[in-house]
Amino acid sequence: MSEWSPATWLITGGRNRTSGEPLNVAPVFASNFYLPDDRLYSRSNGTATTDALESLIGGLENGRALVFGSGMAAAAVILHRLPVGSHLAVPEEPYHGVAGLIAEGEAQGRWTVSRLDQSDTPAWLDACRTADMVWLESPENPLITVADLPTICAAPRKDGCIVAVDSTFATPLNQQPLDYGADVVMHSATKFIGGHSDLLAGAVITRSDELYDELHQRRLLNGASIGAMEAFLTIRGARTLGLRMERAQHNAMELAQRLEAHGEIDRVLYPGLPSHPDHDVAARFMAGFGAMLSFEPTGPGQRATALCERMELVHHATSLGGIESTMERRATIVGQERIPPSLIRMSVGCEDIDDLWSDFTRALEATRRP
Ligand SMILES: *Cc1c(COP(=O)(O)O)cnc(C)c1O
């Protein structure tokens, strides 16, 4: 699809190439169009703006993209294509919205579910032979575990088994699940792709025309379309994804090392650190280790909360993938009570690394027990 590397396609994809037209496709605010034409109604046929965003995101994964009003809308469309009675293999801790959707379908008797340890590759290989859908999320919340995607996606499968990968944390720059053999990739473009914490958007990408048609039809029926302004802003944000990821990953590696060496941090989880259990797996196939890390400060859980509140530069907020750094204590999130009580998950942004570090040293000092 795109002859360019993803880093270049982010900048050049999804543009007008017609003389006299603006370089950027404008937000088209429209529900309907004059007849007769192939484009009738934007929930069915999209607009020039959503076409541009789909071309941009599709080119990053070398497939055909469909964009959605949120990452959850994208995930729901993939899951709800499963016929009643299907068997699903999923990670133990997928994104909590996705986990809720899976648990709901299970409770309704819609499907049966096996929950697998992210790093238990043999269990995933077995699942490929028995499940109707293998749903992977890698790297995954909140321990930033990494699945061996190239091995699992290429494994022999039961007839009709679909492998889907939620690649949100990695972005299309760090891994290419369709190249490894996955059928469909999904992104919450709310996160790194949009990159500015100012919109909700989702995307799925596939190389199968059949699956594309099916997901397109399901999006239409579910009414899961993206708005014009969000589509425009997602393109606008994505233009700098390469630059942002380069800086954020560099900051994440540096912070992970400094935190690991700090006497008041019990544990740091970042796949770029040799101490991370999945470091070797990640190093084998990922182009970068991403900008998400978790750590546990010494002391009780309340100290972790106090630390989040004492940070001045790093925002105490949920979600991830913005140009600004954010962090939160995960055990305080509903449904995440199994998480170690002091675990803080951080989405590392693009601020100056020494400013970030001085924010940490000051807040650690301020929350130290006398
Ligand atoms: C945020 C997120 C989602 C859901 O996306 P929304 O855009 O919030 O609907 C799904 N998967 C992962 C890994 C996420 O981080």
Side-chain angles (χ1 to χ4, degrees):
M1 282 220 163
S2 154
E3 74 221 71
W4 308 107
S5 70
T8 300
W9 185 249
L10 278 165
I11 294 166
T12 201
R15 288 193 189 274
N16 283 321
R17 287 281 171 181
T18 316
S19 113
E21 290 285 319
L23 272 70
N24 297 300
V25 176
V28 173
F29 296 102
S31 54
N32 51 354
F33 301 84
Y34 283 113
L35 298 170
D37 194 80
D38 288 343
R39 213 194 283 278
L40 312 175
Y41 190 59
S42 59
R43 177 163 51 75
S44 319
N45 315 111
T47 65
T49 321
T50 61
D51 287 355
L53 177 57
E54 288 177 343
S55 157
L56 178 63
I57 292 184
L60 294 172
E61 303 271 9
N62 271 308
R64 295 173 78 191
L66 288 159
V67 292
F68 294 82
S70 70
M72 281 308 299
V77 156
I78 299 172
L79 286 166
H80 288 158
R81 65 168 286 288
L82 283 171
V84 172
S86 297
H87 183 63
L88 198 58
V90 306
E92 282 167 337
E93 312 270 0
Y95 177 76
H96 59 92
V98 173
L101 210 55
I102 290 167
E104 183 193 64
E106 190 180 20
Q108 292 166 339
R110 186 172 183 150
W111 46 58
T112 54
V113 184
S114 300
R115 291 181 173 79
L116 308 181
D117 177 349
Q118 180 93 320
S119 43
D120 188 354
T121 305
W124 289 101
L125 300 186
D126 281 348
C128 291
R129 284 188 214 94
T130 53
D132 301 296
M133 180 178 285
V134 171
W135 178 278
L136 291 149
E137 178 186 323
S138 182
E140 187 199 40
N141 255 317
L143 307 181
I144 328 294
T145 53
V146 176
D148 187 347
L149 292 181
T151 303
I152 300 165
C153 295
R157 304 210 196 130
K158 176 182 167 182
D159 244 11
C161 170
I162 296 280
V163 174
V165 179
D166 181 342
S167 198
T168 299
F169 277 29
T171 82
L173 293 169
N174 282 341
Q175 65 194 19
Q176 298 279 318
L178 300 180
D179 279 355
Y180 315 144
D183 299 283
V184 57
V185 178
M186 126 207 190
H187 290 281
S188 167
T190 307
K191 313 295 169 53
F192 293 98
I193 293 176
H196 294 76
S197 311
D198 55 5
L199 57 84
L200 292 170
V204 303
I205 310 97
T206 180
R207 291 177 190 167
S208 150
D209 289 337
E210 197 186 328
L211 196 53
Y212 175 90
D213 289 342
E214 209 183 300
L215 297 171
H216 185 275
Q217 178 69 4
R218 186 129 293 285
R219 178 181 67 179
L220 183 160
L221 294 177
N222 286 15
S225 316
I226 190 170
M229 199 65 198
E230 279 72 15
F232 174 81
L233 286 173
T234 305
I235 297 172
R236 164 82 169 245
R239 295 282 180 227
T240 55
L241 176 63
L243 289 164
R244 286 185 283 108
M245 280 307 281
E246 215 174 287
R247 172 70 163 244
Q249 289 184 151
H250 175 266
N251 281 352
M253 188 70 202
E254 190 66 34
L255 271 183
Q257 287 169 340
R258 294 189 194 185
L259 287 168
E260 194 170 48
H262 195 285
E264 284 175 52
I265 304 294
D266 278 337
R267 184 164 72 138
V268 182
L269 291 160
Y270 180 64
L273 291 177
S275 59
H276 191 285
D278 299 330
H279 172 72
D280 291 344
V281 170
R284 213 180 320 125
F285 73 95
M286 295 185 75
F289 296 111
M292 298 301 299
L293 62 85
S294 289
F295 63 96
E296 292 173 65
T298 56
Q302 298 92 298
R303 190 215 184 170
T305 301
L307 187 70
C308 293
E309 287 167 353
R310 279 299 188 115
M311 300 291 285
E312 281 175 19
L313 184 57
V314 178
H315 303 273
H316 185 198
T318 193
S319 196
L320 57 123
I323 193 162
E324 69 288 335
S325 296
T326 58
M327 67 190 218
E328 67 177 325
R329 190 180 148 207
R330 289 303 286 179
T332 57
I333 311 289
V334 178
Q336 305 265 305
E337 295 81 5
R338 285 171 53 203
I339 304 307
S342 289
L343 189 100
I344 294 173
R345 188 192 70 180
M346 179 175 183
S347 171
V348 182
C350 298
E351 300 89 346
D352 179 86
I353 182 65
D354 291 321
D355 289 338
L356 284 172
W357 186 241
S358 65
D359 203 22
F360 270 102
T361 49
R362 204 192 28 73
L364 281 164
E365 173 86 46
T367 56
R368 184 180 298 150
R369 286 259 196 98

